[in-house]
Amino acid sequence: MMLLQNRRHSVNALREDLMLRLVGPPMERDDARIRRAVAGKTVLVTGASFGQGEATARLLARNGAVVVMIARSVDRLAEVADEITASGGIAHAYGVDLSDAASVTSFADSMLRLHGPADIVIHNAGKSLRRSIYRSAQRISDMDAMVGANFTGPMRLTLALLPSMKENGGGHIVSIATAGLWLTPAAPRWSFYLGCKGGFDVWLRSVALEVKRDNIDVTTIYAGHIKSRMVATDWVSKSPGHTPSQAARVVAYAVTRRPRHLAPRGTGLIRLFGIVFERPFGSVLSLVDRRSSETAASDAAFQRAMSKNSEPAALTSTEAV
Ligand SMILES: NC(=O)c1ccc[n+]([C@@H]2O[C@H](COP(=O)([O-])OP(=O)(O)OC[C@H]3O[C@@H](n4cnc5c(N)ncnc54)[C@H](OP(=O)(O)O)[C@@H]3O)[C@@H](O)[C@H]2O)c1
């Protein structure tokens, strides 16, 4: 029985691996190449306390980068930094809330003073929210948290660091967007997430056109499912996806090759379809949405938040599915 279960497990794992190789964005599997790209470089990773950000910080530090990590969970961040240091890497951790302007500005000042200009900035931090618009109307503080983490925070940080990158002779900015933006122009219940991620994406791609001449490259990763706490309780968690360590290798691919964007392979046609047939595509999504209900996790998180009474602090990523 046990043997049968193990065999079924490995067949599933093989099938998932094959699928990711076929449709997932490419991963950098060559550590020597990563080392050549990052050794001795100062790399800022936002949202490095969990998930893809943590795995990226570990991978790049293991290959010689001086990693500067930020997130709100200071204890967790310090733990990751200590582990990196104990295994011979260099990591610095700072508690920063991207939705707090003063926190971002003060961090950027410290970063420039203590570590100098960033060679590579990885905008990984993000906050997800799948919720109907009528429920959102009752939870306006979540809107501010979403905008800060996904849009204004990363913009403010970029603005604070860009001049020093230019002065330093160039650099690379990597942003983690979502495949949702790549595949659909819009999607019901994802208005805040797609709106904020999309806003930053368009902003950064516009900036890219200006800073190219200063030797600053910009890459956007339209990431598919990453098996992190962000989607742990969502229906998405049941679909094939990258582990955080695999997702970190997608980021490493971006860092070593510096493409303009990375997206799930072979999805160009779906993207084109979505743009050309935007109305019927939207109608299908609305129909599916009308037939589906809130997920149990989303329902529970919403009820929890509402029972805490008027406008409690913003939901955590895990709750906000
Ligand atoms: N998981 C997926 O399926 C998926 C799919 C497409 C795109 N993405 C994107 O991939 C990126 C990484 O997500 P993940 O899956 O690794 O999720 P995760 O495990 O929840 O990590 C998110 C990170 O962002 C940080 N963060 C959130 N709000 C912040 C704020 N206001 N200030 C500073 N840091 C903040 C979190 O740290 P603290 O809570 O400690 O602040 C955490 O380290 C995100 O940008 C996400 O939108 C994820």
Side-chain angles (χ1 to χ4, degrees), residues 46-54 70-74 76-77 96-100 104 123-128 145 148-150 175-180 193 197 221-232 236 242 244 247 316-318:
T46 72
S49 51
F50 297 96
Q52 172 176 252
E54 176 194 347
I70 65 170
R72 291 164 305 172
S73 317
V74 197
R76 169 76 188 156
L77 209 55
V96 177
D97 183 350
L98 285 167
S99 62
D100 175 349
V104 176
H123 286 297
N124 163 83
K127 196 169 177 62
S128 172
N150 297 316
S175 161
I176 316 297
T178 164
Y193 186 60
K197 285 280 191 190
I221 301 178
Y222 298 97
H225 171 208
I226 301 162
K227 294 176 178 176
S228 68
R229 65 177 190 153
M230 182 177 277
V231 291
V236 181
H242 285 126
T316 67
S317 302
T318 329

Short mmCIF file of all heavy atoms in Angstrom, two decimals, residues 46-54 70-74 76-77 96-100 104 123-128 145 148-150 175-180 193 197 221-232 236 242 244 247 316-318, ligand 1:
data_model
loop_
_atom_site.label_atom_id
_atom_site.label_comp_id
_atom_site.label_asym_id
_atom_site.label_seq_id
_atom_site.Cartn_x
_atom_site.Cartn_y
_atom_site.Cartn_z
N THR A 46 12.95 42.55 -2.02
CA THR A 46 11.82 42.94 -1.16
C THR A 46 10.95 41.71 -0.91
O THR A 46 10.88 40.80 -1.73
CB THR A 46 10.97 44.07 -1.79
OG1 THR A 46 10.21 43.55 -2.88
CG2 THR A 46 11.85 45.22 -2.28
N GLY A 47 10.31 41.68 0.24
CA GLY A 47 9.47 40.53 0.59
C GLY A 47 10.29 39.27 0.73
O GLY A 47 9.93 38.20 0.22
N ALA A 48 11.41 39.37 1.46
CA ALA A 48 12.34 38.23 1.57
C ALA A 48 12.10 37.40 2.82
O ALA A 48 12.91 36.53 3.14
CB ALA A 48 13.78 38.74 1.54
N SER A 49 10.99 37.65 3.52
CA SER A 49 10.75 36.88 4.75
C SER A 49 10.13 35.52 4.50
O SER A 49 10.25 34.62 5.32
CB SER A 49 9.86 37.70 5.70
OG SER A 49 8.71 38.15 5.02
N PHE A 50 9.46 35.38 3.37
CA PHE A 50 8.77 34.11 3.07
C PHE A 50 8.84 33.84 1.57
O PHE A 50 9.21 34.71 0.78
CB PHE A 50 7.28 34.19 3.45
CG PHE A 50 7.03 34.40 4.92
CD1 PHE A 50 6.80 35.67 5.42
CD2 PHE A 50 7.02 33.32 5.80
CE1 PHE A 50 6.54 35.87 6.78
CE2 PHE A 50 6.78 33.51 7.16
CZ PHE A 50 6.54 34.78 7.64
N GLY A 51 8.42 32.63 1.20
CA GLY A 51 8.13 32.30 -0.20
C GLY A 51 9.26 32.53 -1.17
O GLY A 51 10.43 32.27 -0.90
N GLN A 52 8.86 33.04 -2.32
CA GLN A 52 9.81 33.23 -3.41
C GLN A 52 10.95 34.19 -3.04
O GLN A 52 12.10 33.99 -3.41
CB GLN A 52 9.07 33.76 -4.63
CG GLN A 52 9.98 34.18 -5.77
CD GLN A 52 9.19 34.61 -6.99
OE1 GLN A 52 9.13 33.92 -7.98
NE2 GLN A 52 8.57 35.78 -6.92
N GLY A 53 10.59 35.25 -2.28
CA GLY A 53 11.60 36.25 -1.91
C GLY A 53 12.67 35.65 -1.03
O GLY A 53 13.87 35.88 -1.23
N GLU A 54 12.24 34.87 -0.04
CA GLU A 54 13.20 34.22 0.86
C GLU A 54 14.11 33.28 0.05
O GLU A 54 15.34 33.30 0.20
CB GLU A 54 12.44 33.42 1.93
CG GLU A 54 13.37 32.64 2.83
CD GLU A 54 12.66 31.58 3.68
OE1 GLU A 54 11.43 31.58 3.77
OE2 GLU A 54 13.38 30.72 4.23
N ILE A 70 14.27 43.03 2.71
CA ILE A 70 13.29 43.80 3.48
C ILE A 70 11.92 43.07 3.51
O ILE A 70 11.60 42.31 2.60
CB ILE A 70 13.09 45.24 2.97
CG1 ILE A 70 12.49 45.27 1.55
CG2 ILE A 70 14.38 46.01 3.00
CD1 ILE A 70 12.05 46.67 1.10
N ALA A 71 11.17 43.31 4.57
CA ALA A 71 9.79 42.82 4.74
C ALA A 71 9.31 43.38 6.07
O ALA A 71 10.08 44.05 6.79
CB ALA A 71 9.74 41.30 4.75
N ARG A 72 8.05 43.08 6.42
CA ARG A 72 7.54 43.58 7.70
C ARG A 72 7.87 42.65 8.86
O ARG A 72 8.09 43.10 9.97
CB ARG A 72 6.02 43.75 7.62
CG ARG A 72 5.58 44.88 6.70
CD ARG A 72 4.11 44.75 6.37
NE ARG A 72 3.82 43.42 5.81
CZ ARG A 72 2.61 42.95 5.56
NH1 ARG A 72 1.56 43.70 5.82
NH2 ARG A 72 2.45 41.75 5.04
N SER A 73 7.93 41.35 8.64
CA SER A 73 8.17 40.39 9.72
C SER A 73 9.66 40.37 10.09
O SER A 73 10.42 39.55 9.58
CB SER A 73 7.74 38.99 9.30
OG SER A 73 6.53 39.01 8.64
N VAL A 74 10.02 41.29 10.98
CA VAL A 74 11.45 41.51 11.27
C VAL A 74 12.11 40.25 11.86
O VAL A 74 13.24 39.92 11.47
CB VAL A 74 11.61 42.66 12.28
CG1 VAL A 74 13.03 43.17 12.28
CG2 VAL A 74 10.67 43.77 11.96
N ARG A 76 11.36 37.08 11.58
CA ARG A 76 11.50 36.05 10.54
C ARG A 76 12.65 36.42 9.58
O ARG A 76 13.47 35.60 9.21
CB ARG A 76 10.16 35.95 9.80
CG ARG A 76 10.17 35.16 8.56
CD ARG A 76 10.20 33.68 8.82
NE ARG A 76 10.38 32.95 7.59
CZ ARG A 76 10.89 31.75 7.52
NH1 ARG A 76 11.26 31.13 8.61
NH2 ARG A 76 11.01 31.15 6.36
N LEU A 77 12.69 37.71 9.22
CA LEU A 77 13.71 38.19 8.29
C LEU A 77 15.11 38.02 8.90
O LEU A 77 16.06 37.57 8.24
CB LEU A 77 13.44 39.67 8.03
CG LEU A 77 13.84 40.26 6.70
CD1 LEU A 77 13.26 39.50 5.54
CD2 LEU A 77 13.39 41.72 6.62
N VAL A 96 10.74 46.74 6.94
CA VAL A 96 10.17 47.85 6.15
C VAL A 96 8.74 47.49 5.77
O VAL A 96 8.46 46.36 5.35
CB VAL A 96 10.99 48.07 4.84
CG1 VAL A 96 10.35 49.17 3.99
CG2 VAL A 96 12.44 48.39 5.13
N ASP A 97 7.85 48.47 5.91
CA ASP A 97 6.48 48.28 5.44
C ASP A 97 6.30 49.13 4.18
O ASP A 97 6.33 50.36 4.24
CB ASP A 97 5.48 48.70 6.52
CG ASP A 97 4.04 48.46 6.09
OD1 ASP A 97 3.82 48.14 4.90
OD2 ASP A 97 3.15 48.58 6.94
N LEU A 98 6.13 48.47 3.05
CA LEU A 98 6.04 49.20 1.78
C LEU A 98 4.81 50.10 1.72
O LEU A 98 4.77 51.02 0.90
CB LEU A 98 6.01 48.20 0.61
CG LEU A 98 7.36 47.55 0.29
CD1 LEU A 98 7.17 46.37 -0.66
CD2 LEU A 98 8.33 48.55 -0.33
N SER A 99 3.82 49.84 2.58
CA SER A 99 2.63 50.70 2.53
C SER A 99 2.79 51.94 3.43
O SER A 99 1.87 52.73 3.57
CB SER A 99 1.38 49.91 2.92
OG SER A 99 1.49 49.44 4.23
N ASP A 100 3.99 52.08 4.00
CA ASP A 100 4.26 53.23 4.87
C ASP A 100 5.39 54.06 4.24
O ASP A 100 6.55 53.64 4.19
CB ASP A 100 4.67 52.68 6.25
CG ASP A 100 5.09 53.78 7.22
OD1 ASP A 100 5.28 54.94 6.80
OD2 ASP A 100 5.26 53.45 8.41
N VAL A 104 9.63 53.40 3.96
CA VAL A 104 10.36 53.17 2.70
C VAL A 104 11.48 54.19 2.54
O VAL A 104 12.63 53.85 2.22
CB VAL A 104 9.39 53.24 1.48
CG1 VAL A 104 10.15 53.09 0.17
CG2 VAL A 104 8.31 52.17 1.60
N HIS A 123 11.90 43.52 -7.01
CA HIS A 123 10.61 43.89 -6.43
C HIS A 123 9.77 42.63 -6.35
O HIS A 123 9.02 42.29 -7.28
CB HIS A 123 9.89 44.92 -7.32
CG HIS A 123 10.46 46.28 -7.24
ND1 HIS A 123 10.47 47.02 -6.08
CD2 HIS A 123 11.02 47.08 -8.19
CE1 HIS A 123 11.02 48.21 -6.31
NE2 HIS A 123 11.36 48.26 -7.59
N ASN A 124 9.93 41.91 -5.25
CA ASN A 124 9.22 40.64 -5.08
C ASN A 124 8.02 40.76 -4.13
O ASN A 124 7.04 40.04 -4.28
CB ASN A 124 10.21 39.59 -4.55
CG ASN A 124 9.50 38.40 -3.97
OD1 ASN A 124 9.09 37.49 -4.70
ND2 ASN A 124 9.31 38.39 -2.64
N ALA A 125 8.11 41.68 -3.16
CA ALA A 125 7.04 41.76 -2.15
C ALA A 125 5.69 41.95 -2.83
O ALA A 125 5.57 42.64 -3.85
CB ALA A 125 7.29 42.93 -1.20
N GLY A 126 4.68 41.34 -2.28
CA GLY A 126 3.35 41.51 -2.86
C GLY A 126 2.29 41.02 -1.92
O GLY A 126 2.56 40.26 -0.99
N LYS A 127 1.09 41.47 -2.19
CA LYS A 127 -0.04 41.13 -1.34
C LYS A 127 -1.19 40.77 -2.27
O LYS A 127 -1.48 41.49 -3.21
CB LYS A 127 -0.38 42.37 -0.52
CG LYS A 127 -1.24 42.11 0.65
CD LYS A 127 -1.25 43.37 1.52
CE LYS A 127 -2.18 43.15 2.68
NZ LYS A 127 -1.74 42.06 3.55
N SER A 128 -1.81 39.63 -1.98
CA SER A 128 -2.87 39.17 -2.87
C SER A 128 -4.25 39.38 -2.24
O SER A 128 -4.39 39.34 -1.01
CB SER A 128 -2.64 37.68 -3.15
OG SER A 128 -3.72 37.14 -3.84
N ALA A 145 -3.76 49.00 1.89
CA ALA A 145 -2.67 48.04 2.08
C ALA A 145 -2.23 47.44 0.74
O ALA A 145 -1.03 47.26 0.49
CB ALA A 145 -3.12 46.93 3.02
N GLY A 148 -0.33 50.10 -1.30
CA GLY A 148 1.01 50.35 -0.74
C GLY A 148 1.98 49.24 -1.06
O GLY A 148 3.11 49.49 -1.50
N ALA A 149 1.55 48.00 -0.84
CA ALA A 149 2.47 46.88 -1.02
C ALA A 149 2.80 46.62 -2.48
O ALA A 149 3.93 46.27 -2.82
CB ALA A 149 1.87 45.61 -0.40
N ASN A 150 1.79 46.78 -3.35
CA ASN A 150 1.97 46.37 -4.75
C ASN A 150 2.27 47.51 -5.71
O ASN A 150 2.69 47.26 -6.84
CB ASN A 150 0.70 45.65 -5.24
CG ASN A 150 0.42 44.37 -4.49
OD1 ASN A 150 1.32 43.59 -4.24
ND2 ASN A 150 -0.83 44.17 -4.10
N SER A 175 10.90 42.87 -11.58
CA SER A 175 9.61 42.99 -10.88
C SER A 175 8.81 41.70 -11.04
O SER A 175 8.75 41.14 -12.13
CB SER A 175 8.85 44.18 -11.46
OG SER A 175 7.49 44.08 -11.15
N ILE A 176 8.21 41.26 -9.93
CA ILE A 176 7.39 40.05 -10.01
C ILE A 176 5.93 40.48 -10.16
O ILE A 176 5.30 40.92 -9.20
CB ILE A 176 7.52 39.15 -8.75
CG1 ILE A 176 8.98 39.01 -8.32
CG2 ILE A 176 6.86 37.79 -9.01
CD1 ILE A 176 9.90 38.34 -9.29
N ALA A 177 5.45 40.34 -11.38
CA ALA A 177 4.03 40.60 -11.63
C ALA A 177 3.32 39.23 -11.64
O ALA A 177 3.88 38.25 -11.18
CB ALA A 177 3.85 41.32 -12.95
N THR A 178 2.13 39.19 -12.18
CA THR A 178 1.40 37.93 -12.17
C THR A 178 0.96 37.53 -13.58
O THR A 178 0.66 38.40 -14.41
CB THR A 178 0.16 38.03 -11.25
OG1 THR A 178 -0.71 36.94 -11.56
CG2 THR A 178 -0.60 39.33 -11.44
N ALA A 179 0.93 36.20 -13.80
CA ALA A 179 0.49 35.71 -15.11
C ALA A 179 -0.93 36.17 -15.41
O ALA A 179 -1.33 36.26 -16.57
CB ALA A 179 0.57 34.19 -15.14
N GLY A 180 -1.68 36.48 -14.34
CA GLY A 180 -3.05 36.99 -14.52
C GLY A 180 -3.05 38.23 -15.41
O GLY A 180 -3.91 38.40 -16.27
N TYR A 193 -5.92 43.42 -6.83
CA TYR A 193 -4.61 42.79 -7.08
C TYR A 193 -4.14 43.14 -8.50
O TYR A 193 -3.02 43.63 -8.69
CB TYR A 193 -4.74 41.28 -6.90
CG TYR A 193 -3.43 40.51 -6.99
CD1 TYR A 193 -2.38 40.78 -6.11
CD2 TYR A 193 -3.24 39.52 -7.94
CE1 TYR A 193 -1.20 40.07 -6.19
CE2 TYR A 193 -2.06 38.80 -8.02
CZ TYR A 193 -1.04 39.07 -7.14
OH TYR A 193 0.14 38.38 -7.21
N LYS A 197 -0.98 45.58 -9.30
CA LYS A 197 0.14 44.93 -9.99
C LYS A 197 0.28 45.51 -11.41
O LYS A 197 1.38 45.77 -11.89
CB LYS A 197 -0.09 43.42 -10.09
CG LYS A 197 0.15 42.66 -8.79
CD LYS A 197 1.64 42.46 -8.59
CE LYS A 197 1.96 41.50 -7.48
NZ LYS A 197 3.39 41.49 -7.14
N ILE A 221 8.56 39.69 -14.50
CA ILE A 221 8.23 38.26 -14.53
C ILE A 221 6.73 38.12 -14.29
O ILE A 221 6.22 38.53 -13.23
CB ILE A 221 9.00 37.49 -13.43
CG1 ILE A 221 10.51 37.65 -13.63
CG2 ILE A 221 8.61 36.01 -13.43
CD1 ILE A 221 11.37 36.96 -12.57
N TYR A 222 6.02 37.59 -15.26
CA TYR A 222 4.59 37.34 -15.10
C TYR A 222 4.46 35.93 -14.54
O TYR A 222 4.31 34.96 -15.28
CB TYR A 222 3.87 37.51 -16.44
CG TYR A 222 3.99 38.92 -16.96
CD1 TYR A 222 4.97 39.27 -17.91
CD2 TYR A 222 3.16 39.94 -16.48
CE1 TYR A 222 5.11 40.57 -18.35
CE2 TYR A 222 3.30 41.24 -16.92
CZ TYR A 222 4.28 41.55 -17.85
OH TYR A 222 4.42 42.86 -18.29
N ALA A 223 4.57 35.86 -13.21
CA ALA A 223 4.68 34.56 -12.55
C ALA A 223 3.36 33.80 -12.53
O ALA A 223 2.30 34.39 -12.34
CB ALA A 223 5.17 34.77 -11.12
N GLY A 224 3.47 32.50 -12.70
CA GLY A 224 2.30 31.63 -12.54
C GLY A 224 2.20 31.23 -11.07
O GLY A 224 2.73 31.91 -10.18
N HIS A 225 1.59 30.08 -10.82
CA HIS A 225 1.35 29.66 -9.44
C HIS A 225 2.67 29.33 -8.73
O HIS A 225 3.47 28.55 -9.23
CB HIS A 225 0.43 28.43 -9.48
CG HIS A 225 0.26 27.75 -8.17
ND1 HIS A 225 0.00 26.42 -8.05
CD2 HIS A 225 0.34 28.22 -6.89
CE1 HIS A 225 -0.09 26.09 -6.78
NE2 HIS A 225 0.11 27.16 -6.06
N ILE A 226 2.88 29.95 -7.57
CA ILE A 226 4.02 29.64 -6.70
C ILE A 226 3.43 29.06 -5.42
O ILE A 226 2.52 29.66 -4.83
CB ILE A 226 4.83 30.91 -6.37
CG1 ILE A 226 5.34 31.57 -7.65
CG2 ILE A 226 6.02 30.57 -5.44
CD1 ILE A 226 5.75 33.03 -7.47
N LYS A 227 3.96 27.92 -5.00
CA LYS A 227 3.36 27.25 -3.82
C LYS A 227 3.83 27.90 -2.53
O LYS A 227 4.64 27.35 -1.80
CB LYS A 227 3.73 25.77 -3.85
CG LYS A 227 3.11 25.06 -5.04
CD LYS A 227 3.57 23.64 -5.11
CE LYS A 227 2.91 22.94 -6.27
NZ LYS A 227 3.37 21.59 -6.45
N SER A 228 3.35 29.08 -2.29
CA SER A 228 3.76 29.83 -1.10
C SER A 228 2.54 30.01 -0.19
O SER A 228 1.43 29.63 -0.54
CB SER A 228 4.28 31.20 -1.52
OG SER A 228 3.19 31.95 -2.03
N ARG A 229 2.75 30.67 0.94
CA ARG A 229 1.64 30.91 1.86
C ARG A 229 0.58 31.81 1.22
O ARG A 229 -0.57 31.82 1.63
CB ARG A 229 2.16 31.54 3.16
CG ARG A 229 2.75 32.90 2.92
CD ARG A 229 3.21 33.62 4.14
NE ARG A 229 3.51 34.99 3.74
CZ ARG A 229 3.46 36.04 4.52
NH1 ARG A 229 3.16 35.88 5.79
NH2 ARG A 229 3.73 37.24 4.06
N MET A 230 0.98 32.58 0.17
CA MET A 230 0.03 33.51 -0.44
C MET A 230 -1.21 32.80 -0.97
O MET A 230 -2.31 33.31 -0.91
CB MET A 230 0.72 34.28 -1.57
CG MET A 230 -0.17 35.30 -2.23
SD MET A 230 0.67 36.25 -3.48
CE MET A 230 1.47 37.51 -2.50
N VAL A 231 -1.01 31.60 -1.52
CA VAL A 231 -2.15 30.91 -2.12
C VAL A 231 -2.44 29.59 -1.38
O VAL A 231 -3.18 28.76 -1.89
CB VAL A 231 -1.90 30.63 -3.62
CG1 VAL A 231 -1.90 31.90 -4.42
CG2 VAL A 231 -0.62 29.86 -3.82
N ALA A 232 -1.85 29.44 -0.19
CA ALA A 232 -1.94 28.16 0.51
C ALA A 232 -3.37 27.69 0.73
O ALA A 232 -3.64 26.50 0.71
CB ALA A 232 -1.21 28.24 1.84
N VAL A 236 -6.24 27.89 -6.13
CA VAL A 236 -5.05 27.86 -7.00
C VAL A 236 -4.04 26.84 -6.48
O VAL A 236 -3.29 26.24 -7.25
CB VAL A 236 -4.39 29.26 -7.04
CG1 VAL A 236 -3.17 29.28 -7.96
CG2 VAL A 236 -5.38 30.32 -7.47
N HIS A 242 5.30 26.23 -9.19
CA HIS A 242 6.69 26.17 -8.73
C HIS A 242 6.74 26.19 -7.20
O HIS A 242 5.95 26.89 -6.57
CB HIS A 242 7.47 27.37 -9.24
CG HIS A 242 7.81 27.28 -10.70
ND1 HIS A 242 7.49 28.27 -11.60
CD2 HIS A 242 8.46 26.34 -11.40
CE1 HIS A 242 7.93 27.92 -12.80
NE2 HIS A 242 8.52 26.76 -12.71
N PRO A 244 8.82 27.59 -3.96
CA PRO A 244 9.58 28.85 -3.87
C PRO A 244 11.01 28.70 -4.40
O PRO A 244 11.53 29.60 -5.07
CB PRO A 244 9.55 29.14 -2.37
CG PRO A 244 8.24 28.59 -1.92
CD PRO A 244 8.07 27.31 -2.71
N ALA A 247 10.83 28.79 -8.09
CA ALA A 247 10.49 30.15 -8.52
C ALA A 247 11.71 31.07 -8.41
O ALA A 247 11.91 31.96 -9.23
CB ALA A 247 9.34 30.68 -7.67
N THR A 316 -3.46 39.82 6.40
CA THR A 316 -2.16 39.32 5.96
C THR A 316 -2.34 38.70 4.59
O THR A 316 -3.46 38.43 4.17
CB THR A 316 -1.64 38.24 6.91
OG1 THR A 316 -2.50 37.12 6.76
CG2 THR A 316 -1.62 38.70 8.34
N SER A 317 -1.21 38.43 3.91
CA SER A 317 -1.30 37.84 2.58
C SER A 317 -2.09 36.55 2.64
O SER A 317 -2.89 36.25 1.79
CB SER A 317 0.09 37.54 2.05
OG SER A 317 0.84 38.70 2.02
N THR A 318 -1.84 35.76 3.70
CA THR A 318 -2.45 34.44 3.78
C THR A 318 -3.98 34.58 3.89
O THR A 318 -4.71 33.84 3.27
CB THR A 318 -1.97 33.69 5.03
OG1 THR A 318 -0.67 34.12 5.31
CG2 THR A 318 -2.03 32.22 4.81
N1 LIG B 1 2.03 32.73 -5.03
C1 LIG B 1 1.62 32.83 -6.28
O1 LIG B 1 0.97 31.92 -6.84
C2 LIG B 1 1.97 34.06 -7.10
C3 LIG B 1 1.56 34.12 -8.43
C4 LIG B 1 1.91 35.22 -9.19
C5 LIG B 1 2.66 36.24 -8.64
N2 LIG B 1 3.02 36.17 -7.33
C6 LIG B 1 3.83 37.27 -6.78
O2 LIG B 1 5.07 36.73 -6.34
C7 LIG B 1 5.60 37.56 -5.28
C8 LIG B 1 6.05 36.69 -4.12
O3 LIG B 1 4.91 36.12 -3.51
P1 LIG B 1 4.93 34.74 -2.70
O4 LIG B 1 4.06 33.80 -3.44
O5 LIG B 1 6.32 34.36 -2.36
O6 LIG B 1 4.08 35.20 -1.42
P2 LIG B 1 4.44 35.30 0.15
O7 LIG B 1 5.10 34.06 0.60
O8 LIG B 1 3.19 35.74 0.79
O9 LIG B 1 5.52 36.48 0.19
C9 LIG B 1 5.15 37.81 0.05
C10 LIG B 1 6.27 38.66 0.64
O10 LIG B 1 5.90 40.04 0.51
C11 LIG B 1 6.11 40.67 1.77
N3 LIG B 1 5.19 41.80 1.93
C12 LIG B 1 3.84 41.80 1.82
N4 LIG B 1 3.36 43.01 2.09
C13 LIG B 1 4.42 43.80 2.40
C14 LIG B 1 4.57 45.16 2.79
N5 LIG B 1 3.51 45.97 2.95
N6 LIG B 1 5.81 45.63 3.04
C15 LIG B 1 6.89 44.83 2.91
N7 LIG B 1 6.83 43.54 2.53
C16 LIG B 1 5.60 43.03 2.29
C17 LIG B 1 5.84 39.56 2.80
O11 LIG B 1 6.54 39.81 4.01
P3 LIG B 1 5.88 40.33 5.38
O12 LIG B 1 4.52 39.73 5.48
O13 LIG B 1 6.87 39.85 6.39
O14 LIG B 1 5.88 41.80 5.22
C18 LIG B 1 6.48 38.36 2.10
O15 LIG B 1 7.85 38.29 2.38
C19 LIG B 1 4.48 38.55 -4.95
O16 LIG B 1 4.74 39.78 -5.57
C20 LIG B 1 3.24 37.93 -5.55
O17 LIG B 1 2.26 38.90 -5.87
C21 LIG B 1 2.72 35.09 -6.53
#
